[in-house]
Amino acid sequence: MFDSLQERLGTVFEGLKGRGALSEKDVDQALREVRLALLEADVALPVVKQFVADVRERAVGQEVTKSVTPGQQVVKIVHDRLTEMLGGEHAEIELTTEPPTPIMLVGLQGSGKTTSTAKLAKYFQDKQRKKVLMASLDVRRPAAQDQLRTLGAQIGVTVLENVQGEPPKAIAKRAKREATLQGYDIVLLDTAGRLAIDDELMNEIVEVRDAAEPAETLLVADSMTGQDAVTTAQKFHEGVGVTGIVLTRVDGDARGGAALSMRAVTGQPIKMMGTGEKVDALEPFHPERIANRILG
Ligand code: GDP
């Protein structure tokens, strides 16, 4: 993950580490490289600008030219800022004190939403010993319902039966009711996925949200789609108000720009990341570790 950014910054910092003292010109030279590296990593331009400006301000404020190890100083500032930009601390998925906790997953078709629903169910079941119920709200795509049912059977998690003609918001209410009656801890709502965001989809998800009152609205976004994923995140956040992001296909993300931009653009944390096709390929997202990996 993040190979090219890591390599790029690695080269820049090798140069910095080799110098005894840094002039302001050197800092700017380094930051030009950082800027290029981030742009090449597909980080959104306004985010890059903000990042570079922040780092420059901090570097100059710390009188880098007089520092004993100026290269390491700049590396630390870049590292800290990257960690902050990725969200700072790891953000947990919030569970309500009174079960069941409704969690709604939203995202474009193909983003990995249904797979992530099952991965999350398995995660809560295996790692936190929670009793999880899943429900498919994609009434127009029977294939999506079948997929969730198949995954549910695979991981041993119950999937709410779909009733012909029942609208999504009614399914969401029934899922919650069922979860309460049957003593489930968590109810995962896999909302409809479409190839593009339109008003109809957004209205439907808003209705589901109002009916389910989820503790978390998690946006599932494909890291491989770079800037498109960032635009999608922005639209979903404006439309329904997401509380966290599940970043998928991190196993295939060589550039990392989506991860860096997404938090900055939505202001919402990346909580989990998908690292493969298998149902157990889901990990908590740790900003500091990711920043370390980026810097190498
Ligand atoms: P949905 O249309 O958003 O529900 O997407 P799916 O859950 O059906 O996922 C689409 C494809 O992406 C499937 O083939 C998944 O196996 C695959 N997928 C989902 N998450 C990941 C991930 O983190 N890594 C990899 N490599 N593949 C993933």
Side-chain angles (χ1 to χ4, degrees):
M1 167 189 196
F2 303 136
D3 287 342
S4 59
L5 179 56
Q6 184 172 331
E7 276 165 27
R8 184 66 185 249
L9 290 179
T11 315
V12 173
F13 295 133
E14 274 313 303
L16 285 179
K17 278 171 192 159
R19 288 167 188 261
L22 282 172
S23 66
E24 203 168 307
K25 213 175 107 197
D26 289 327
V27 173
D28 282 342
Q29 173 63 29
L31 289 179
R32 246 196 309 277
E33 303 269 2
V34 169
R35 186 176 189 274
L36 274 178
L38 293 175
L39 284 174
E40 279 172 19
D42 209 15
V43 180
L45 184 60
V47 179
V48 174
K49 282 188 173 162
Q50 185 65 50
F51 181 85
V52 170
D54 286 358
V55 171
R56 187 174 196 283
E57 192 176 315
R58 287 184 201 194
V60 171
Q62 288 193 9
E63 294 184 21
V64 177
T65 51
K66 295 195 184 88
S67 159
V68 188
T69 53
Q72 274 146 7
Q73 276 277 43
V74 178
V75 171
K76 189 181 182 310
I77 295 166
V78 171
H79 167 270
D80 290 352
R81 187 66 193 118
L82 268 178
T83 305
E84 269 175 41
M85 200 170 135
L86 287 161
E89 299 283 305
H90 165 62
E92 300 273 353
I93 293 177
E94 304 275 345
L95 301 184
T96 53
T97 39
E98 277 288 306
T101 300
I103 298 175
M104 182 168 91
L105 289 97
V106 303
L108 289 183
Q109 191 176 325
S111 61
K113 186 167 47 58
T114 300
T115 311
S116 297
T117 305
K119 282 178 174 179
L120 267 184
K122 186 169 169 54
Y123 178 85
F124 283 124
Q125 183 178 254
D126 292 359
K127 305 267 192 258
Q128 299 190 13
R129 301 267 162 255
K130 298 291 185 194
K131 195 177 166 198
V132 186
L133 176 70
M134 303 193 289
S136 174
L137 309 190
D138 201 340
V139 296
R140 279 196 282 152
R141 289 199 316 133
Q145 298 172 18
D146 292 345
Q147 188 190 355
L148 192 67
R149 213 174 318 282
T150 305
L151 287 166
Q154 199 182 320
I155 59 175
V157 169
T158 308
V159 179
L160 191 80
E161 281 300 320
N162 280 96
V163 178
Q164 189 72 26
E166 190 179 23
K169 61 179 178 186
I171 304 176
K173 277 200 170 152
R174 185 161 61 86
K176 256 183 96 170
R177 202 165 51 238
E178 194 69 14
T180 307
L181 289 174
Q182 306 285 334
Y184 284 92
D185 299 305
I186 295 169
V187 51
L188 298 177
L189 304 170
D190 183 14
T191 62
R194 298 287 174 261
L195 292 172
I197 300 171
D198 54 34
D199 289 347
E200 197 188 347
L201 175 69
M202 216 45 100
N203 291 340
E204 178 179 312
I205 294 173
V206 166
E207 276 187 6
V208 169
R209 181 198 65 194
D210 293 347
E213 297 176 316
E216 291 267 12
T217 299
L218 300 176
L219 170 73
V220 180
D222 179 355
S223 63
M224 295 293 282
T225 59
Q227 289 298 299
D228 285 345
V230 179
T231 313
T232 302
Q234 210 164 5
K235 284 189 187 158
F236 269 107
H237 190 48
E238 280 163 17
V240 290
V242 308
T243 58
I245 295 161
V246 176
L247 195 63
T248 63
R249 293 212 186 84
V250 169
D251 49 312
D253 179 19
R255 302 164 88 198
L260 288 167
S261 309
M262 207 135 350
R263 160 80 196 215
V265 167
T266 62
Q268 299 304 311
I270 301 167
K271 297 198 164 181
M272 304 293 286
M273 58 184 191
T275 55
E277 291 198 34
K278 299 217 176 85
V279 275
D280 58 359
L282 183 78
E283 295 173 24
F285 184 87
H286 288 284
E288 165 114 44
R289 277 188 229 162
I290 302 297
N292 283 339
R293 269 210 259 175
I294 293 170
L295 290 171

